[in-house]
Amino acid sequence: MAAAAPSNPSQIIRVSEREWEPMSATIKLKTLWSDTASKRRAQLTRFEPGATLPMHRHVGDELLYVIEGSISDESGTTAAGSVGYRPNGCVHSVASKTGATVFAIITGGIETASEIGAAPRSQTIVLSDLAWTDAMPGVRQKPIWHDKETKRRAMLVRFDAGAKLPLHRHVGDELIFIIEGSNADESGEVMTGDMNFRPNGCVHTVTSRNGATVLGLVTGGVEMLG
């Protein structure tokens, strides 16, 4: 009999258990996950009303979801429920007039800058403007962003109550953030406001007892096993 495939289980990240760290007098963050090899990290950032980040250049990119409040830069405002994307080389400053809580997945780092010049601009993606598409029974999704070169893509996924993703293997990894509801796999239940990391080779099923809305950033793809 062939050996069972290694499960390489997912990792549940309880965001409420992470400590806030000061970034400035008016901005604090929680480091949630990082991967040294790919220079990626996930963090939660809290902007107090009136907080500002001085002009800087992104060395690598950033994809963020505004949980509450809003943030603004020279390209416009990203409000609660919308996604912002800062491409590699983007130069901007950031401010939050009323305060904001932001979930972000960042590749690389930042460096100081004094002018925008011809640098690429940030982009705001209003998720309510995107149409749902059926992925499988009980599961819908909104494709948000796709980078063909790195095989990364972001999506919003909606699980109906009782929905199930059958057994599958991740070829590449996936980070998810639960916006509302919960879902579960063999590692346990991931609640609203928490994260789950599915490493390369992770084999699992996913269920949602009461329904869920999930932001996912996927590198690679999946192989269905069941």
Side-chain angles (χ1 to χ4, degrees):
M1 179 181 295
S7 63
N8 211 7
S10 71
Q11 304 163 25
I12 299 173
I13 300 165
R14 304 294 185 195
V15 173
S16 63
E17 296 176 0
R18 300 298 174 97
E19 297 293 329
W20 287 107
E21 307 165 33
M23 185 175 173
S24 72
T26 55
I27 302 172
K28 55 188 177 181
L29 63 85
K30 292 185 178 188
T31 302
L32 305 177
W33 172 88
S34 64
D35 178 62
T36 303
S38 62
K39 298 182 180 179
R40 290 178 297 155
R41 65 188 186 278
Q43 67 184 47
L44 195 71
T45 306
R46 176 62 195 171
F47 294 80
E48 298 300 328
T52 61
L53 282 174
M55 189 167 288
H56 56 276
R57 176 181 293 103
H58 285 263
V59 183
D61 61 13
E62 176 181 6
L63 187 94
L64 62 86
Y65 173 80
V66 179
I67 299 169
E68 60 179 0
S70 64
I71 56 175
S72 301
D73 71 357
E74 291 79 3
S75 295
T77 297
T78 306
S82 291
V83 164
Y85 179 63
R86 289 82 156 90
N88 182 34
C90 173
V91 175
H92 66 162
S93 56
V94 180
S96 182
K97 183 177 180 181
T98 59
T101 303
V102 177
F103 171 77
I105 298 174
I106 302 163
T107 301
I110 59 173
E111 58 188 23
T112 58
S114 59
E115 60 181 24
I116 295 175
R121 308 299 288 265
S122 67
Q123 305 164 25
T124 293
I125 303 163
V126 180
L127 298 185
S128 61
D129 290 343
L130 304 179
W132 289 106
T133 61
D134 292 328
M136 61 180 59
V139 181
R140 293 169 290 160
Q141 66 179 21
K142 293 185 178 189
I144 299 171
W145 169 84
H146 186 202
D147 180 33
K148 293 181 180 179
E149 183 178 347
T150 60
K151 297 182 179 179
R152 293 177 298 153
R153 65 189 189 278
M155 67 196 72
L156 193 70
V157 183
R158 177 63 195 171
F159 294 82
D160 292 340
K164 180 177 181 179
L165 294 178
L167 191 69
H168 59 277
R169 178 186 293 109
H170 286 265
V171 182
D173 59 29
E174 179 179 15
L175 281 162
I176 69 161
F177 177 78
I178 306 291
I179 295 172
E180 62 178 359
S182 67
N183 68 19
D185 71 356
E186 290 77 2
S187 293
E189 190 167 14
V190 190
M191 308 300 292
T192 300
D194 285 341
M195 278 185 62
N196 194 220
F197 174 59
R198 290 86 184 263
N200 181 35
C202 174
V203 175
H204 68 163
T205 57
V206 178
T207 60
S208 186
R209 181 174 53 181
N210 298 311
T213 303
V214 177
L215 177 68
L217 186 68
V218 181
T219 301
V222 297
E223 296 175 342
M224 303 308 295
L225 303 175

